Amino acid sequence: MDDQTLRKQLKELKQIKPQEDWAVSARANLIAHIDASQEALNPHQSAVRESASIRGSWFERTLAQPKWAGAFTLGIFALMVLSATMAQNSLPGSPLYGAKLAGEDLRSAVTFSEMDGTVLQAKYAERRVNEISRIASTRFAAEGAASFNPELAEGVSEALESYKKDIALAKESGNKETIEKEVAQVNEKVEVWTSLVNEKDPYEALNIQVSILMEACADEALLEESGLLLEEGGLRNIITAFELLNRCEEVEITSSDDENISDEPTDSGELVDGDSTDSS
């Protein structure tokens, strides 16, 4: 048989179409043969697949029963409540602290009024104060701690307690702007204290921070009062000076506003100096 005849016969064979039933049967037999070959080559994998199938079926049958389905749902709910509770008690640096902040953001997003949201932010600011207070207490007040310093712990605690009193007074005012301003100031102070408390040497870091604040402060009265405290020495005086200097920017802004008001032009177009007196 020559090549030309062979090609002709192959073309004729290609034109032959098998019956559909036979094609389906042949395909099924081929797949079964392949599966059998794979199981023969890897019996362990086959056993694992069969075991997983049995476990899956048992799990599905168990959940199909009302009493077990209810128990499973209750267990999931209990786990969620436990996780939420643990997150609420977490401190900065904890793996669950991010979930705590995310929960606060979610609750803030669903408040019904701006005032409710502002009061909620005040509550969260108080929570931040309590968190840093717990951290300071653990680090400085716990006997046996590497940075055990009861005086520092007490000084930080007193400063933080004053923040909570400031927030409480702002909330009593019922003024949205007053609350927001106080919350912003407290959050800034807590952020500074958090940085100081987590320093390797908080005492040295506090002294450095006081020096920086004194250089930036332009209020002579606060500088003089802070200077006297630092001359007396002692950790409590340094903390008090730190708190005073933190108010410097606020006082400076207030004095600047007063100067702007005092230099307003009169009806005659002349500027009246705030320090000048009526010559009449």
Side-chain angles (χ1 to χ4, degrees):
M1 181 181 298
D2 56 10
D3 292 344
Q4 187 175 0
T5 303
L6 181 60
R7 291 193 189 96
K8 183 179 180 181
Q9 289 180 353
L10 288 174
K11 288 181 179 179
E12 292 176 353
L13 288 173
K14 288 181 179 179
Q15 294 176 356
I16 299 175
K17 296 182 178 180
Q19 296 181 358
E20 186 177 351
D21 294 342
W22 180 87
V24 172
S25 176
R27 188 182 296 109
N29 290 334
L30 180 61
I31 293 174
H33 179 72
I34 293 173
D35 289 342
S37 300
Q38 290 179 344
E39 291 178 1
L41 291 174
N42 195 350
H44 176 70
Q45 183 178 1
S46 176
V48 170
R49 191 187 308 113
E50 183 178 357
S51 175
S53 176
I54 293 173
R55 288 197 301 270
S57 300
W58 174 85
F59 187 72
E60 292 173 359
R61 290 196 305 271
T62 302
L63 286 183
Q65 302 178 27
K67 63 178 183 179
W68 291 112
F72 179 77
T73 303
L74 184 61
I76 293 296
F77 179 75
L79 183 61
M80 292 174 61
V81 172
L82 179 61
S83 299
T85 303
M86 292 176 65
Q88 289 300 316
N89 294 326
S90 62
L91 294 173
S94 168
L96 292 174
Y97 191 71
K100 178 180 183 177
L101 296 181
E104 291 179 355
D105 292 340
L106 179 61
R107 185 175 178 187
S108 298
V110 297
T111 51
F112 294 101
S113 69
E114 291 186 1
M115 189 62 186
D116 289 342
T118 301
V119 172
L120 194 59
Q121 290 304 316
K123 177 181 178 181
Y124 293 156
E126 291 174 334
R127 189 175 290 177
R128 301 291 88 81
V129 172
N130 290 331
E131 288 168 356
I132 186 60
S133 181
R134 286 170 58 190
I135 293 174
S137 178
T138 301
R139 183 169 187 192
F140 304 133
E143 293 188 15
S147 302
F148 177 63
N149 190 327
E151 188 180 5
L152 183 57
E154 188 175 353
V156 174
S157 178
E158 286 184 1
L160 296 174
E161 283 298 320
S162 70
Y163 299 164
K164 289 196 287 186
K165 292 177 181 178
D166 292 339
I167 294 175
L169 289 173
K171 287 195 295 184
E172 288 178 4
S173 71
N175 184 280
K176 180 175 177 294
E177 288 72 18
T178 301
I179 299 174
E180 289 178 342
K181 181 180 179 181
E182 190 61 48
V183 167
Q185 291 176 353
V186 168
N187 284 334
E188 289 179 2
K189 293 175 183 177
V190 168
E191 187 176 349
V192 173
W193 271 118
T194 302
S195 176
L196 290 173
V197 167
N198 288 321
E199 288 286 345
K200 185 176 180 180
D201 188 346
Y203 182 78
E204 181 182 357
L206 182 61
N207 278 291
I208 293 174
Q209 189 67 29
V210 168
S211 299
I212 293 173
L213 290 173
M214 290 191 74
E215 290 179 2
C217 184
D219 185 89
E220 295 182 0
L222 282 178
L223 285 172
E224 183 179 359
E225 188 175 356
S226 302
L228 291 173
L229 288 168
L230 296 175
E231 286 179 5
E232 291 180 11
L235 183 56
R236 302 297 289 279
N237 285 335
I238 295 176
I239 293 176
T240 303
F242 172 72
E243 289 299 307
L244 286 173
L245 292 168
N246 268 316
R247 294 161 43 195
C248 185
E249 183 179 359
E250 180 182 353
V251 173
E252 188 177 354
I253 292 173
T254 302
S255 61
S256 176
D257 291 342
D258 291 340
E259 289 174 5
N260 291 335
I261 293 172
S262 63
D263 291 339
E264 291 180 354
T266 62
D267 293 337
S268 61
E270 298 178 353
L271 291 177
V272 178
D273 194 319
D275 295 330
S276 62
T277 57
D278 191 354
S279 58
S280 55

